Amino acid sequence: MKSENSQLAIIIIGSIAMFVTGIVFSYNVNINKYENLSQTVDLSGGEYVRLVFIGSSDCYFSNNTKTNNAVNGVKKKLYTVLNNNDIKFISTGISFDISSEIAISYLSKSGKYDEILVGAGAFNLGAIKYVSGSSATPTILIFRETYNSDLNGLNIKNLENSQRLIKTYIGQLDLFDLYDFLENATDMDVLSYLEVNI
């Protein structure tokens, strides 16, 4: 009797795991309403706003169509507002995936990034710098940064930088709240929210 109960429990747990796995992997994540976002980084120095997105391909809350579209929508809105007001923007994508190939494919679902840090799981340098031991995904961090440098071709001399975290969004609901706010905000609302003075 005990053996039959154990087998039944294993079958039920296995069925649930297969069901959940099937939902996660069959969910279409290729729809992206902001697929034409194109950015370049202005290396002239000065004031920047940096968005850092942290996700993982094996986290359902990080890897679904709604989250991918929201992340790309947030990047697009920030880029547009900041660009309209002569403020520089940098987007960084970080994935907790161990495989860099899987991570690159995963991050591409949420649009283009100026910089990506992928592979090595929790030992990824971006994860170490920006997450400090917490692996909650999805996460968006927004920083104000100042870069002063002497740019000589591809050589940067005397680089001085400062980075100040101004906003943190942890989890899918926080991310959707940010997306909803930005979709309905004016340029001035966004600049005020980011503590940017023009």
Side-chain angles (χ1 to χ4, degrees), residues 104-120:
I104 290 169
S105 175
Y106 158 67
L107 286 174
S108 71
K109 294 174 185 176
S110 57
K112 297 177 183 177
Y113 292 88
D114 296 309
E115 167 187 58
I116 59 172
L117 302 159
V118 298

Side-chain angles (χ1 to χ4, degrees), residues 153-172:
L154 295 178
N155 297 318
I156 297 178
K157 297 178 181 175
N158 304 320
L159 178 65
E160 296 176 17
N161 70 323
S162 64
Q163 189 176 60
R164 182 173 64 94
L165 178 64
I166 55 174
K167 301 289 179 188
T168 302
Y169 305 90
I170 298 174
Q172 194 177 36

